[in-house]
Amino acid sequence: MQQLRLPVSGLLFDNDGVLVDSLEPAAVAWDAWAAVYAPAFDFRTQVEHGVRASDTVATLVAPEVFDEAIAALDKAELDGSDACDALPGAVELTRSLPAERWAVVTSAIRPLGLARLAAAGHATPPAVISADDVSRGKPDPEPYLKGAEAIGVSPDECAVFEDAPAGIAAARAAGVKYVIGVGDHLEGAVVDAHVHDLSQVSYDGSVLTISA
């Protein structure tokens, strides 16, 4: 078995598609929402993964109904959050990590991100940066800059785990040391290493090991 060993001081994880499989519950919520607010929108073929829901909704509805529309979507997603599952290796990895060395950086609102993590069997992360905590979401670097700040580690000493091009762009713009692509939907985005899931990953507090 080949191993890649990367020296880093902190780990930053996207949530959906990295730690949690929320794709089907999200699709159900978005489809029900779109039937009312954006009938021409198809989640499975049109959504840009990794960005804040509010940023997508703003492109789909008139400004005067935005507040109502985003509130309805937030409720629909929260109502379906208990159907989320952990992705392979994710719970085992996060349980093994030094608490002060990692954070979750999600484009979901905080209640939704925490609900999905709990449904998937994750403990509450030591630090969470959510859509509620930033003025600009991914692909802007602000989420990952705040994630690194939350664990007291410089971005250039962090590795980021991402499954979506918007998140990879955000991590690159934040100046992180390594970007690890997760899964099969990277759409050609350039990463420093790729894993199918987090069962291929371990971390001892100073060295990130990726097994292939």
Side-chain angles (χ1 to χ4, degrees):
M1 178 181 293
Q2 293 183 330
Q3 290 187 333
L4 179 64
R5 293 171 56 83
L6 306 174
V8 291
S9 298
L11 305 180
L12 304 174
F13 295 89
D14 177 48
N15 190 21
D16 301 294
V18 174
L19 299 177
V20 171
D21 182 2
S22 59
L23 186 60
E24 187 58 27
V28 170
W30 276 83
D31 285 351
W33 174 87
V36 176
Y37 291 98
F41 180 75
D42 178 68
F43 175 87
R44 291 170 178 82
T45 60
Q46 293 178 275
V47 76
E48 182 181 1
H49 292 286
V51 305
R52 296 183 299 182
S54 59
D55 293 333
T56 298
V57 169
T59 70
L60 297 173
V61 304
E64 59 268 24
V65 299
F66 173 81
D67 290 345
E68 173 189 330
I70 192 62
L73 180 58
D74 288 344
K75 182 180 186 304
E77 290 208 283
L78 278 165
D79 287 348
S81 62
D82 59 354
C84 295
D85 294 315
L87 286 163
V91 172
E92 294 81 359
L93 176 61
T94 59
R95 286 178 178 170
S96 75
L97 299 177
E100 72 280 5
R101 295 296 184 90
W102 70 284
V104 171
V105 181
T106 178
S107 292
I109 58 172
R110 181 173 293 269
L112 179 59
L114 292 177
R116 286 174 169 172
L117 284 163
H122 290 277
T124 301
V128 177
I129 302 299
S130 72
D132 305 314
D133 301 312
V134 296
S135 58
R136 298 173 303 279
K138 303 172 187 178
D140 191 273
E142 183 182 356
Y144 280 116
L145 291 173
K146 286 197 170 182
E149 182 181 12
I151 59 173
V153 176
S154 173
D156 62 6
E157 290 298 323
C158 289
V160 162
F161 291 83
E162 264 288 354
D163 73 314
I168 292 168
R172 292 290 189 205
V176 303
K177 190 171 188 179
Y178 301 112
V179 180
I180 314 302
V182 180
D184 301 321
H185 302 287
L186 303 180
E187 299 175 14
V190 177
V191 295
D192 298 300
H194 174 261
V195 296
H196 181 67
D197 58 53
L198 297 183
S199 65
Q200 297 172 244
V201 177
S202 62
Y203 182 62
D204 65 4
S206 60
V207 176
L208 176 67
T209 301
I210 299 173
S211 301

